[in-house]
Amino acid sequence: MKRIYLDHSATTPLHPEVISLMSEFMQETYGNPSSLHSYGREAKKYVDEARGKVAALIGAKADEIYFTGGGTESDNIAVIGSALAQAKKGKHLITSSVEHHAVLDSCRYLSKNGYDVTFLPVDRYGMVDPDDVQKEIRKDTVLISIMHANNENGTIEPIEEISRIAREAGVIFHTDCVQSVGKIPVNVDALGADLVTISGHKIYAPKGIGALYKRKGIQVSPIVHGGGQEKKLRSGTENTLGIVGFGKAAEIAVRDFDMENVRIKNLRDKLIQGVLDRIPEARLNGHPEKRLPHNAHFSFSYVEGESLLLSLDMKGIAVSSGSACSSHSLQPSHVLAATGLPHELMHGSLRITLGRENTEEDIDYVLEVLPEVVKRFRAFSPLARKLS
Ligand code: PLP
């Protein structure tokens, strides 16, 4: 059976060039980069090289990149670490109600420990209003954390405007760029960010490696203590193999950026149009234009997202119902809820995210299978009969 992977916002396969470099590295270079002998120095050389490549991906300097265990850890360090470092200045944070749980739950942890957090609402596309950010800033606000692009509906937030407001108020600004990096331009200066989260496995590098960009001079307390690696911000022997893979993936993301993203966006647009044309009462969630080029997120009335996902899987098509990060729970997505989507549509949602290996034939196959599957489910619903 034909198998098509269309869940690249959950994770990506390793790029063949990443596999090749990692295989070479893992056979020959096993030193601890903190060791002073030649084995250690050799490993450190690879880590430094990768740091430079990851920095180049986001327009940063190499010494502003801190390797971590992934996007979740970077978000935790950014939110909790910067709050701890500024506890004397104040204990108020601002974030949005559509953030990834790595940010939301870090904020909730702080709010149980003496901090006050404002969770901003969003509009029907999932967009934060910069005026709302402005209104909520107080004397004791120490961090504003708003994601660059949403992992579920793909909406791109007005980060430049929000960061300007933060800067004018003298508040540190963090943005989670896990989903945007490699897909749309991410430049720390253009975004005006003090702290940026990125993750390897969304850009064809391995899982369990990520980075935090920290602008020079920004104070962040460590939350993992130990050997003092990564300039004392993230203790623990470096995941050298992951770092090398991440560096290579970052280099490829820069090299292939224009070509890949235009190609993928064209395929994605064909998919969206095809679905809206072929399936009655199909709704595109997220912003129609200000969205990630590889993301298509739909709701279908009278259909249940999980059943749809499983039926597509049986036909060889791998997609996600809402967000893979929250698929462990049957709670409706907090992102779709924040956009005011009615309950039945939230439960009938499907996220399709394209990547570098997808082709026009893949999209044709989805457009052949998906309308049939939706029609079949609707045939069981008395409410849906009028649609067929
Ligand atoms: N932030 C966003 C926006 C994400 O989409 C994800 C994962 O899907 C994360 C953070 C967590 O990253 P990681 O899986 O590397 O821990």
Side-chain angles (χ1 to χ4, degrees):
M1 186 181 53
K2 198 176 165 73
R3 286 182 84 209
I4 302 174
Y5 185 75
L6 283 164
D7 200 11
H8 293 82
S9 277
T11 197
T12 57
L14 291 182
H15 193 291
E17 291 177 53
V18 170
I19 297 178
S20 168
L21 180 65
M22 285 176 72
S23 314
E24 196 185 304
F25 177 85
M26 73 198 287
Q27 284 175 48
E28 291 166 12
T29 318
Y30 50 83
N32 183 327
S34 299
S35 298
L36 295 178
H37 47 62
S38 62
Y39 292 82
R41 291 200 306 273
E42 203 180 321
K44 184 168 183 308
K45 194 176 105 276
Y46 272 96
V47 169
D48 288 345
E49 222 171 273
R51 202 185 299 281
K53 288 175 181 169
V54 170
L57 175 63
I58 58 172
K61 297 185 193 76
D63 64 357
E64 295 170 315
I65 298 296
Y66 297 79
F67 287 117
T68 68
T72 300
E73 193 179 294
S74 297
D75 280 343
N76 274 257
I77 299 172
V79 172
I80 300 172
S82 62
L84 292 179
Q86 301 176 88
K88 283 205 180 93
K89 181 186 167 201
K91 291 193 165 187
H92 176 238
L93 292 83
I94 299 173
T95 189
S96 83
S97 48
V98 294
E99 298 299 309
H100 189 272
H101 278 112
V103 166
L104 285 180
D105 291 353
S106 295
C107 287
R108 287 186 188 121
Y109 167 79
L110 287 172
S111 65
K112 282 190 202 130
N113 286 278
Y115 288 77
D116 191 12
V117 183
T118 301
F119 296 91
L120 296 173
V122 291
D123 68 10
R124 67 194 167 116
Y125 300 126
M127 188 98 66
V128 172
D129 183 344
D131 286 344
D132 288 345
V133 178
Q134 180 83 65
K135 279 183 213 138
E136 294 297 339
I137 292 179
R138 316 190 311 213
K139 274 207 181 72
D140 61 342
T141 306
V142 290
L143 181 77
I144 297 171
S145 177
I146 305 289
M147 71 199 320
H148 191 194
N150 191 270
N151 47 300
E152 295 192 34
N153 62 17
T155 292
I156 300 167
E157 300 292 345
I159 292 303
E160 292 86 349
E161 278 176 79
I162 295 171
S163 70
R164 187 169 34 76
I165 291 167
R167 197 164 48 251
E168 282 168 11
V171 178
I172 291 179
F173 178 67
H174 166 243
T175 183
D176 178 333
C177 293
V178 167
Q179 293 290 342
S180 57
V181 76
K183 316 285 187 317
I184 55 173
V186 171
N187 177 291
V188 294
D189 291 333
L191 291 179
D194 300 309
L195 298 164
V196 171
T197 291
I198 54 176
S199 173
H201 72 108
K202 312 289 182 177
I203 61 161
Y204 309 94
K207 295 154 188 60
I209 181 70
L212 179 68
Y213 159 80
K214 183 172 83 64
R215 191 176 287 281
K216 221 181 201 120
I218 296 296
Q219 297 303 314
V220 177
S221 297
I223 57 172
V224 176
H225 303 271
Q229 289 88 345
E230 295 297 297
K231 289 189 274 171
K232 297 197 169 73
L233 187 58
R234 198 274 187 177
S235 281
T237 302
E238 295 87 342
N239 170 7
T240 49
L241 186 58
I243 290 172
V244 165
F246 193 15
K248 187 68 189 173
E251 181 190 323
I252 297 167
V254 172
R255 184 191 73 195
D256 295 351
F257 185 89
D258 291 331
M259 190 182 67
E260 271 304 297
N261 288 311
V262 169
R263 190 187 71 83
I264 289 171
K265 182 176 181 297
N266 288 338
L267 290 181
R268 192 279 315 267
D269 288 348
K270 174 178 167 152
L271 172 71
I272 291 179
Q273 203 50 53
V275 167
L276 298 180
D277 286 348
R278 287 170 178 75
I279 306 180
E281 287 196 17
R283 177 199 147 102
L284 179 71
N285 296 314
H287 199 282
E289 289 105 35
K290 289 176 185 151
R291 70 183 304 131
L292 291 171
H294 72 307
N295 173 296
H297 193 294
F298 303 102
S299 284
F300 305 105
S301 53
Y302 317 116
V303 185
E304 216 261 319
E306 269 73 29
S307 315
L308 212 49
L309 181 156
L310 295 175
S311 294
L312 290 173
D313 193 35
M314 288 196 298
K315 300 263 184 190
I317 301 171
V319 299
S320 157
S321 66
S323 164
C325 294
S326 56
S327 66
H328 298 298
S329 101
L330 285 176
Q331 290 293 316
S333 141
H334 67 285
V335 174
L336 298 182
T339 62
L341 200 67
H343 229 260
E344 16 359 312
L345 287 180
M346 278 199 268
H347 282 290
S349 74
L350 206 65
R351 183 186 70 178
I352 305 180
T353 45
L354 286 70
R356 60 177 291 281
E357 16 28 282
N358 293 131
T359 61
E360 184 120 25
E361 290 77 60
D362 295 348
I363 301 307
D364 290 338
Y365 182 61
V366 175
L367 290 176
E368 187 189 310
V369 172
L370 182 59
E372 267 174 36
V373 175
V374 172
K375 196 170 173 183
R376 204 173 66 229
F377 280 114
R378 282 178 172 171
F380 298 118
S381 161
L383 289 170
R385 294 235 168 88
K386 64 178 169 55
L387 294 174
S388 44

